[in-house]
Amino acid sequence: MKKNYFTSESVTEGHPDKLCDQISDAIVDSALSQDPESRVACETLTTTGLIMVVGEMTTQAYVEIQNIARDVVRDVGYDDPNFGFDYESCAVISSLHDQTRDIAMGVDTGGAGDQGMMFGFACRETSELMPLPIMLAHKLTMRLAEFRKTTNECILRPDGKSQVTVEYDDGMPKRIDVVLVSSQHCPEMKSQELNDVIKNEIILKILPRELIDSDTKILINPTGRFVSGGPSADSGLTGRKLMVDTYGGYARHGGGAFSGKDPTKVDRSGAYLARYLAKNVVASGIADKCEIQIAYAIGVSDPVSLLVETFGTGKTDENKISETLRKLVDMSPRGIINRFSLKNPIYRKTAVYGHFGRENEGFPWELTDLADELKKTV
């Protein structure tokens, strides 16, 4: 048997990069809620005492950048000056201008808002048809946030990370080899007390017991102290956690960020379509693992290429799967937007804990409504 290990990480909503993703997507939501035809491509930067929003936005909406940024910071949990960063005292600077007409000429006719390649992936390791390491990492960071928000004691603060290493035998998950959780905490918390809380209330509440054994290594705040966190300890930037957003490094990535972009940008909508297609291929039973690449040219509506890879698990020819997908699905940017209703303000909640595998959030690209038709056709 071939034994190997794979590791994925996740971060909490209070991580500086994720704070920026949420602000950028909250701006997209605000614009789309007032004007569904809004074009937005904005990025947020944060550091000690400062939030800066830059980019392009063409809209009929009135978007209150200052209020949006401060609301996100407050909602995440930076509501106390003692945290080193808080929503009331931080400065918010914005520099946004209209989208260039050179781009709009192609988008207005239904073409892609940029060139690029996007990947989608699905496999049978979890019920969500996602790789196991990233799903476990996300569930740990979600639990960190849940525990912080529901406990009345001063224990945890907003910033945090998780990392999970899974041991595989012959390509199938066998056990958890290493789990790492780092969480910002109150200065009064003693190291052993914090370790006990995180182990018992976070790790053991989330990880499947059947995957933990006596050799599983549990690491909690390895430096021994994590009081200084968030933007006061590290700068943040939109789009800097692409592996957290997608498949934890398990599948390839086209390189484009999602957050801060309206759905005419295929970096976002094309990646959602690729996930949808890959998930439906696996859900249909015609493959146990599927990766799909889609590529677009700016201003052109149809993809310039579509590649299906089933890693030897496919029950039919990959070219036939590709041809069938093209027949069943309108892959133009306008077609993707219509299929998934992407002009609705749904984006802020995508900005943390991954864009994929979150079936309870109602994200339409997680539907498997194409699976039966695929099975019959292919």
Side-chain angles (χ1 to χ4, degrees):
M1 292 194 301
K2 182 181 178 183
K3 180 187 293 188
N4 53 28
Y5 300 85
F6 194 86
T7 303
S8 292
E9 74 158 350
S10 180
V11 298
T12 64
E13 60 205 65
H15 185 282
D17 293 331
K18 277 290 145 205
L19 186 66
C20 291
D21 285 345
Q22 290 170 88
I23 293 171
S24 294
D25 272 341
I27 291 168
V28 173
D29 281 351
S30 178
L32 291 176
S33 67
Q34 302 171 64
D35 175 12
E37 303 303 319
S38 296
R39 305 276 171 77
V40 187
C42 70
E43 296 181 352
T44 303
L45 165 74
T46 186
T47 187
T48 306
L50 175 66
I51 295 169
M52 180 177 291
V53 180
V54 300
E56 302 83 50
M57 180 160 58
T58 299
T59 182
Q60 299 299 312
Y62 177 66
V63 181
E64 299 184 3
I65 303 296
Q66 285 257 352
N67 291 344
I68 290 170
R70 294 186 192 279
D71 286 349
V72 171
V73 173
R74 182 197 61 225
D75 293 348
V76 163
Y78 290 112
D79 54 6
D80 187 333
N82 291 321
F83 294 177
F85 187 88
D86 73 283
Y87 76 101
E88 290 185 302
S89 65
C90 66
V92 180
I93 300 172
S94 63
S95 179
L96 295 165
H97 56 80
D98 287 347
Q99 181 187 73
T100 170
R101 287 300 307 164
D102 293 353
I103 296 175
M105 286 170 57
V107 179
D108 290 345
T109 58
D114 202 352
Q115 70 177 47
M117 56 192 178
M118 304 88 219
F119 288 91
F121 182 79
C123 64
R124 294 199 177 279
E125 292 183 15
T126 65
S127 61
E128 300 91 350
L129 303 184
M130 287 283 287
L132 180 62
I134 187 63
M135 291 307 296
L136 293 179
H138 283 324
K139 288 176 181 178
L140 287 169
T141 51
M142 291 172 74
R143 174 61 184 157
L144 274 175
E146 178 189 42
F147 181 79
R148 172 175 60 86
K149 292 174 179 180
T150 56
T151 182
N152 292 323
E153 300 176 36
C154 177
I155 300 175
L156 304 182
R157 288 181 174 177
D159 198 357
K161 289 184 173 184
S162 70
Q163 188 169 284
V164 178
T165 301
V166 173
E167 179 184 320
Y168 286 78
D169 270 348
D170 286 342
M172 294 302 296
K174 180 182 179 183
R175 55 181 290 276
I176 295 170
D177 189 57
V178 184
V179 55
L180 165 61
V181 174
S182 295
S183 179
Q184 186 185 15
H185 58 89
C186 301
E188 298 80 15
M189 286 292 295
K190 297 209 170 15
S191 179
Q192 187 56 54
E193 184 183 1
L194 180 70
N195 285 5
D196 290 343
V197 168
I198 290 179
K199 181 178 180 179
N200 295 318
E201 296 296 332
I202 310 299
I203 295 172
L204 296 182
K205 292 271 189 183
I206 292 299
L207 299 186
R209 293 300 181 99
E210 66 272 17
L211 295 180
I212 301 174
D213 58 30
S214 58
D215 292 325
T216 299
K217 295 171 280 294
I218 296 177
L219 305 175
I220 299 170
N221 282 11
T223 66
R225 180 178 168 87
F226 186 2
V227 171
S228 180
S232 67
D234 189 13
S235 62
L237 183 66
T238 299
R240 204 158 58 179
K241 284 290 176 285
L242 303 184
M243 298 303 107
V244 174
D245 287 340
T246 52
Y247 308 100
Y250 199 102
R252 287 176 285 189
H253 194 292
F258 304 158
S259 292
K261 297 176 181 176
D262 75 83
T264 66
K265 279 69 173 177
V266 284
D267 279 340
R268 175 166 232 155
S269 52
Y272 292 168
L273 177 65
R275 162 63 178 171
Y276 172 76
L277 298 178
K279 186 174 183 180
N280 275 271
V281 167
V282 174
S284 72
I286 59 178
D288 292 330
K289 183 184 289 188
C290 182
E291 184 180 74
I292 287 182
Q293 185 202 51
I294 308 176
Y296 290 88
I298 189 169
V300 179
S301 60
D302 291 332
V304 298
S305 70
L306 175 69
L307 174 68
V308 177
E309 171 63 69
T310 58
F311 306 96
T313 71
K315 298 174 177 61
T316 189
D317 181 69
E318 291 165 342
N319 289 330
K320 186 175 181 182
I321 298 174
S322 176
E323 292 170 6
T324 303
L325 290 173
R326 280 186 177 270
K327 290 176 183 176
L328 293 177
V329 179
D330 181 355
M331 299 186 190
S332 68
R334 185 171 290 166
I336 302 170
I337 290 169
N338 291 338
R339 175 175 284 272
F340 298 145
S341 300
L342 294 182
K343 290 184 179 180
N344 290 322
I346 60 172
Y347 297 106
R348 181 179 166 184
K349 63 182 179 180
T350 69
V352 285
Y353 312 123
H355 293 245
F356 308 126
R358 296 169 60 199
E359 296 178 336
N360 294 331
E361 296 290 351
F363 298 153
W365 50 89
E366 291 297 316
L367 295 174
T368 54
D369 54 347
L370 195 67
D372 287 343
E373 194 169 3
L374 256 178
K375 189 174 183 178
K376 287 187 292 186
T377 308
V378 176

